[in-house]
């Protein structure tokens, strides 16, 4: 089986962005495709946030400007957690190379705030950790889906009833289109409830992204796995890869 | 077991349209039946869009006029993805042999726009990628299902309550009847959420089409499969076929 | 195990109506019981419509008058599909021995139209392909279930709330009672979504009919099956029968 | 394991009523307990109605007066079906020993009609075939559940909202209490959709009856089974019994 | 594994109340903890009511005063059923040592009636057979859950919407708190629909009780089981115990 | 596999808080991370409350101030249950080192009461047993989620509709943020219905906590298990650990 011939395309646009995970870049022909959005999904405790930390860390080491979007109020906690795995983010925050942006889901302009930051910030790497709470915010989509307004404002211009699957799908697509502005390469995390076989909490996102990394664990065997479930323009193995989580984060073993 | 005797019928109308997938045409007595609609279903990352690319590519090479309908705003992205798999669509777009039409689901006349394009465009191959978001748009069906109006216009002429299964079924049937105008041969893709055993997201489409190609993957075995689940007027194997995705797209192995 | 002693009863009323499927009549003591309604259920692509074609064909060959009810607008398509399997229905339509009646589900008098046709047409074989869309039409049942009026007409005479299971059950029973008028023998098809274990889309019909033929397929083994799940007044095997679909339709192998 | 000592009790009230099924009476210490209600449940085509026919037939042979309640309009059909299995009910109807009563579910006084018939008819054996459509009729329960009024009459006296599980439970209990009047011994049938593991369509009845006979079939093995799932005051085997359906009805083999 | 050291505690309050089931007391360090509530759950026909009979019988033999709460109108039937298993309850009712109280679920003061009876009756053993219909009654909970009023009385003082899970939980907790008044030891039964893995019909009760006895049966093996799933302050086996139901009730074998 | 290198971090903030469970501390690098919230989940009777008792007991022995939050009215019962397992909490309550706080879910200021107690009480260990009833209380979230008002007060300031998943998620996050005030280390318990594979009743909490302990049992094998499903900043085994419950509580075996 000959590898996916990427010689010509790489000269066009298919630059690869390193994942920061030891052993994963080589399975992805160098990393995530530049400008792509990759979904990082998993049940609780499988390491979704650690994947994001490593991705940011890899960018920081190359001098790239990085953005970490979170709807968790405890930004300090995240920074501390990163430290526990071995990443000192504070120094990069201090020199303006890394920004943690708290997305306040109660604010009516949360989408605009995210949009502004990405468009004007000059980031090459963006993380949205996690997509799930943001995608659950009920919104009206108006102006051909280019505008999102909170559900407590009356809208007679919206086509889709609030909370319909169509509204959710359009909302997620709108979030995705914000994330892919300005040619940044993005990771978004999504919760998978234990026992579900879906690839995201909403079961829609996985059809809208360019790549999917699935994190899993097997308690009985005491093993952790990472599976490349999809990656646009990349011939990759589908086999679940054994991983360990140590100081420095996830590593393929 | 003697093959399905198609000698006489082929002289009538049963011309076959090549799939563009190496090895598949011979399993389908030459390709898709002319004028048929085939559903291409699969979980994320199984290659639904690549099947469409190859189908379009096969038509372009024969000098046919092709239409690619998408509700994804990022038409450029699709063209780029095609390039990654080895198909240079831009040149055919430039000479007017291929058209990518973005279906804006927010527009009230999206069905009419699609209808007009197919009726007047003289296409022999049409792709709708994907059926899922379009079929989720809530509509009123009036005038015996021949007219579709958006749900935000009041309708006292509609028989079926919005979002009822009957409305969804009639909506999908109406989309199908638009697609089979003008004797074009059509592929429509549908999402299957991981873990579902249905053959489409809506679980209705598979009963309204002439053929079904099911795409699947087995992570543990690192294998990809394509199954001909149904093909009108065609004696075919039901066995899942091993496939690989390489430069040039899907190939039976 | 001695066969079901039908000697005496056959002199009364238990005439058998041939199925048109090679090998099946002998499993059914000669065919479907005269005046019975048999449900033909299956997932997509299992051959439900072909069973109907063969049933009609067998009647036509015996000079019987046959009616094919469909809610699919494309009657021409059905006739063409029949031709693909080897049945030339057009000539019988031309001489008035076979009628394809399109049931327009938007029409308020669709039940009455069906009723009139069956009562006055003198048919011995009737096919309703398929029951599913018709049974999904929301209706009010009035006048002891003998009258059905569309749901958009206000009804203060109906006992059952629209869309209740009781309304669905009464609706289906009413359809059944129309079908068994005038001593015709009837087949009705019903969709089974892949993965469902029910014997019809609505999970009610199977309790109201006299017989059930279940069509199934096993992709991995490349095998198709037909099971006699129930047949009133008939001692029959329950074993799934291997079938093939060829020129001429389904045949037990 | 010593058998359930019934010597003393039998002198009190525990008279047994023969089931009419060869081999079953001996598993039930002689038959159904007098005055009991037994649920006969099964998926389509498992023989629920035949169990009822045999039960009625056994009573008729002993000169007992029997009532067959049905919500199926086609009483003639039922009588004919009985004939097919070998039971000539018409002669008993003619001499007034057997009555088929059609329960018109559209009538507001259907419960009262049933009640009157049982209280005044002097029946020793009653069959309700089937409980399912009757139990689905939406009703208001008033006057401590002793009165049932149709849901289209406004009721400000009812405690339970229509269609609540409590309303269904109270409705079924009320039907049961009608059936056990006048010391008759009763069979009620209930549909089980294929694939369900519940013991009745409503999943409540099985907790309100004195006995449960479960009918089942195994297509692959071409076998039919009858299981005594519960029988008040009766030590019985739980093992599924192989049965055959022949002229004369069900027989344990 | 050393047994749960109960020497000291037994001198405080941990008196054990005999279950009346041969072999079970020794598995429970003597019986149910005094003042505890134990849930007796099982699918139909597993012997829930017989467990209650034996528990009452054991108390009656020791001269204790016992209360049997039922929402089944047929109290006579229950007494008769007890007789069938070998328990002559009538004589104890006559001398006032046992009371069967019918809970009329239609009465607005059913909770108060139960409360009054328990508080003033001086019972040491109470049975509620079954909890399920009572817990399904829709109620408003007011005055901090200490007062329960029927749902047909308007309540602007209630915090929880009727039929919400919170209302159900609070309702069940309120029933439990009535049952544990006056230091009586209580059994409550709950239905488990066949095929459900929950430990009660409502899936909440099992978290609010002190102990759980699970009754089960295996048709194929013709075996019945009793499992101690939980017992507060009691080191017990989790192993399902084989049981038989004979004259005298359930016995461990 | 080298252990997670915690040498440096421990000097920063990663102090460990003993679990009180013999054998568990060593699997957790010393105990729960200081300031963390750990979810203790399990089906009924698996020992969730005993885990809490041992955690409190370990703190009391070290002279720490502890808070036990419960929505169970029967605080006395809890204290008694603790005694049964071997913990004399009364003496610590008397000297003010331990407080049991009953959360009255009917009170409009229940969140504020909890908040006040934690902020002003100077506790190092807090238990919320259980999270489930509190999280089910329907609330409006206002003022950016920092204020919670009961659902019976009209709110025109809330973004999220009551009972939406977003409201539940925000509610749980708000509870979590109350619990992590003042640097206390917290355990919260959650019910898992038998048969569910989720890690909490709400299926959201497990994504918001720092650690998850899963309690399980295997009736057939008569074994109990404790699994560390997740623990922030801690390299731990995923293997289910066999446990026993004896005098003194849970112990790894």
């Amino acid at each position: 089986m000959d590898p996916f011939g990427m010689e010509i395309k790489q000269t066009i646009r298919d630059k690869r962005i390193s994942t920061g995970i030891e052993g994963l870049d080589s399975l992805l022909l160098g990393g995530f495709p530049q400008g792509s959005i990759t979904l990082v999904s998993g049940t609780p405790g499988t390491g979704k946030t650690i994947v994001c930390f490593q991705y940011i860390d890899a960018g920081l080491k190359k001098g790239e400007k990085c953005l970490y979007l979170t709807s968790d109020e405890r930004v300090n906690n995240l920074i501390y957690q990163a430290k526990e795995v071995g990443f000192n983010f504070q120094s990069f925050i201090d020199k303006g190379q890394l920004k943690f942006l708290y997305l306040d889901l109660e604010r009516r302009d949360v989408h605009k705030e995210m949009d502004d930051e990405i468009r004007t910030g000059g980031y090459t790497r963006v993380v949205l950790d996690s997509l799930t709470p943001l995608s659950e915010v009920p919104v009206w989509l108006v102006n051909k889906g280019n505008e999102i307004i909170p559900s407590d404002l009356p809208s007679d211009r919206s086509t889709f009833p609030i909370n319909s699957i169509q509204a959710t799908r359009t909302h997620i697509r709108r979030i995705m289109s914000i994330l892919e502005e300005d040619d940044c390469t993005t990771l978004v995390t999504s919760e998978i409830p234990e026992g579900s076989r879906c690839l995201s909490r909403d079961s829609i996102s996985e059809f809208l992204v360019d790549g999917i990394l699935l994190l899993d664990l097997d308690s009985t065997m005491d093993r952790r796995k990472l599976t490349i479930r999809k990656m646009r323009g990349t011939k990759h193995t589908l086999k679940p890869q054994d991983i360990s989580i140590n100081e420095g984060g996830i590593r393929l073993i």
Side-chain angles (χ1 to χ4, degrees), chain A:
Chain A
M1 238 181 292
D2 67 287
F4 202 113
M6 304 303 294
E7 307 86 348
I8 309 151
K9 273 173 301 301
Q10 300 231 2
T11 63
I12 313 173
R13 190 184 119 186
D14 194 20
K15 218 182 115 195
R16 295 283 162 163
I17 307 301
S18 64
T19 64
I21 295 176
E22 207 184 310
L24 182 59
D25 283 352
S26 65
L27 292 179
L28 289 173
L29 309 181
F32 303 119
Q34 190 186 4
S36 65
I37 300 179
T38 295
L39 185 70
V40 180
S41 291
T43 55
T46 49
K48 295 179 292 296
T49 292
I50 294 177
V51 168
C52 296
F53 287 162
Q54 288 176 270
Y55 176 64
I56 291 294
D57 178 68
L60 294 175
K61 282 181 179 150
K62 296 189 170 182
E64 299 178 32
K65 208 171 162 194
C66 303
L67 177 65
Y68 202 109
L69 301 161
T70 175
S71 53
D72 192 331
E73 300 168 53
R74 309 176 299 174
V75 167
N76 285 342
N77 236 355
L78 270 177
I79 296 168
Y80 178 70
Q81 282 177 46
K83 204 167 199 170
E84 285 183 322
V85 197
F87 305 117
N88 189 347
F89 284 165
Q90 192 59 54
S91 60
F92 292 96
I93 295 171
D94 295 342
K95 50 182 159 165
Q97 199 184 333
L98 170 62
K99 179 164 186 175
F100 276 80
L101 182 65
Y102 164 57
L103 299 173
D104 182 346
L105 304 184
E106 295 275 324
R107 285 185 58 174
R108 301 196 170 179
D109 58 353
V110 63
H111 298 87
K112 191 179 178 309
E113 187 187 15
M114 186 167 82
D115 196 357
D116 288 349
E117 187 67 41
I118 294 177
R119 262 190 308 98
T120 65
Y123 301 105
T124 53
R125 294 179 183 233
V126 174
V127 161
L128 172 56
D129 180 21
S130 89
L131 171 66
T132 306
L134 182 60
S135 70
E136 287 169 354
V137 173
V139 290
W140 293 112
L141 297 145
V142 296
N143 192 10
K144 302 191 181 182
N146 287 323
E147 235 178 288
I148 294 175
I149 59 171
S151 66
D152 56 344
L153 289 183
S155 165
D156 51 294
R157 288 172 299 163
S158 174
T159 307
F160 307 126
I162 198 170
N163 276 339
S164 67
I165 189 174
Q166 185 63 24
T168 303
R169 184 185 296 273
T170 310
H171 187 189
I172 293 174
R173 186 182 293 141
R174 182 71 192 116
I175 295 170
M176 297 295 179
S177 86
I178 291 174
L179 291 173
E180 68 195 355
E181 281 164 355
D182 211 53
D183 215 35
C184 53
T185 306
T186 306
L187 297 195
V188 298
T189 65
S190 182
E191 306 170 356
I192 303 179
E194 191 77 32
S196 163
R197 289 193 53 200
C198 279
L199 299 174
S200 71
R201 169 76 81 162
D202 51 69
S203 87
I204 294 174
S205 313
E206 58 263 48
F207 293 97
L208 303 177
V209 291
D210 301 300
I212 304 172
L213 296 187
L214 186 63
L215 295 164
D216 209 350
L217 52 76
D218 177 339
S219 279
T220 317
M221 302 298 291
D222 195 16
R223 267 150 60 165
R224 298 169 174 279
K225 307 256 182 202
L226 180 154
T227 306
I228 307 167
R229 188 61 177 68
K230 171 179 171 179
M231 194 60 64
R232 210 200 60 209
T234 310
K235 184 170 173 65
H236 59 84
T237 181
L238 294 163
K239 279 221 171 165
Q241 307 294 313
D242 286 305
I243 57 172
S244 68
I245 306 183
N246 284 285
E247 174 84 20
I250 290 171
R251 211 175 49 182
L252 270 60
I253 52 177

